[in-house]
Amino acid sequence: MDMKKRPKAVEKQNEVYDVNSIKLLAPITKPDKVICVGLNYKGHCDEQNKPYPEQPFFFSKFPSTIIGPGDGLSLPAKSKAVDWEVELTVVVGKKAKNVPVEQAYDYIFGYTIAQDISARDWQTPKRNNGQWLFAKSMDQFCPLGPAITTSDVIRDPHNLNISCSINGLEKQNANTNELIHRVDKLVSYLSELTTLLPGDIILTGTPNGVGVFRNPREFLKAGDTIVSEISSIGTLETKVI
């Protein structure tokens, strides 16, 4: 399905519902691909004393990790170092293959918010040979939402405030103008490697302020509330259980 084709207006379109009386689901539930970009904010590279990557650094999460707004995040027994990463997320709108950079925005349906939840103790060479897949793909490790803001509303995704707080305490606060590899480049680059399909999502990276690089280190614990916010999109709340 071409996500650029808007559904017809439904009756009672002006009817208002109390958000507390309904259950919001993740705006995308079964994408073909969940593609993530690492080390894509200048501040996140700086806090690790790493150079800015000349080419995008990609990894993946299982689509089954997606949970919706307000859903609970269960801490896995296999990790004692679960971390937060707020990310601007691109939603692909139509099939994309070998797309030129200057046409990339034509293939974007819109944008939403994701948390790239990460088990840091599974990212080290001493465990799992440093592979990132399971460090990033344990159950419920991709909160997504609260909605998709379409690309006709967000015409420039590179000037959005992005933040994350834990229990009301701000941990991350930046702007997407820090992105090293821009959204249009990411879509174009990926489309040369694999066919992007409608509903595929691209997590574009996280700014500085993640728990593993704080002094002292901080990790999520049961009872925490993660609030992720991006201007023009909204707020995504996740309960740690």
Side-chain angles (χ1 to χ4, degrees):
M1 181 181 70
D2 186 342
M3 295 184 70
K4 287 291 186 181
K5 295 178 180 178
R6 303 288 198 271
K8 293 182 179 179
V10 297
E11 293 183 6
K12 299 183 180 179
Q13 60 181 341
N14 294 323
E15 190 166 345
V16 177
Y17 294 89
D18 182 350
V19 71
N20 295 316
S21 69
I22 59 175
K23 169 62 178 172
L24 288 177
L25 303 179
I28 298 289
T29 55
K30 295 182 179 179
D32 186 73
K33 291 178 281 295
V34 178
I35 302 171
C36 307
V37 187
L39 300 173
N40 202 29
Y41 274 78
K42 293 177 181 178
H44 189 45
C45 291
D46 294 343
E47 69 181 349
Q48 303 175 62
N49 295 315
K50 289 188 175 183
Y52 304 157
E54 294 184 5
Q55 298 296 330
F57 175 76
F58 294 111
F59 59 95
S60 183
K61 298 171 86 78
F62 296 144
S64 60
T65 60
I66 292 175
I67 59 175
D71 284 348
L73 166 64
S74 300
L75 295 177
K78 289 288 188 178
S79 176
K80 304 300 180 185
V82 179
D83 203 350
W84 56 84
E85 291 189 20
V86 62
E87 309 214 3
L88 173 69
T89 299
V90 175
V91 181
V92 176
K94 59 183 179 180
K95 186 175 179 180
K97 182 64 178 176
N98 295 323
V99 174
V101 173
E102 58 271 18
Q103 297 177 17
Y105 290 115
D106 295 338
Y107 293 81
I108 296 174
F109 177 74
Y111 305 88
T112 189
I113 304 170
Q115 267 287 339
D116 176 20
I117 302 296
S118 307
R120 299 301 188 189
D121 43 1
W122 280 72
Q123 285 184 263
T124 64
K126 294 181 179 180
R127 187 168 191 177
N128 200 36
N129 295 317
Q131 298 179 60
W132 283 26
L133 181 61
F134 280 104
K136 301 284 190 172
S137 287
M138 296 184 188
D139 291 344
Q140 304 162 358
F141 267 24
C142 189
L144 193 70
I148 300 170
T149 300
T150 52
S151 57
D152 58 329
V153 175
I154 298 179
R155 295 188 177 276
D156 179 9
H158 305 104
N159 188 26
L160 303 174
N161 295 325
I162 179 170
S163 65
C164 174
S165 66
I166 309 296
N167 303 326
L169 298 177
E170 186 176 270
K171 303 298 181 181
Q172 295 179 276
N173 191 338
N175 189 283
T176 56
N177 60 19
E178 278 191 51
L179 283 168
I180 296 167
H181 301 290
R182 292 167 56 94
V183 165
D184 48 351
K185 177 181 177 179
L186 295 174
V187 170
S188 176
Y189 192 104
L190 284 165
S191 75
E192 294 176 354
L193 306 174
T194 186
T195 301
L196 298 174
L197 299 176
D200 283 351
I201 58 176
I202 306 167
L203 282 64
T204 59
T206 198
N208 66 300
V210 297
V212 70
F213 297 119
R214 302 182 77 86
N215 187 16
R217 292 183 171 187
E218 300 177 21
F219 298 112
L220 295 169
K221 61 185 184 302
D224 284 346
T225 299
I226 310 168
V227 176
S228 311
E229 186 170 3
I230 300 179
S231 56
S232 299
I233 300 176
T235 300
L236 171 66
E237 184 173 297
T238 307
K239 302 284 188 180
V240 183
I241 57 177

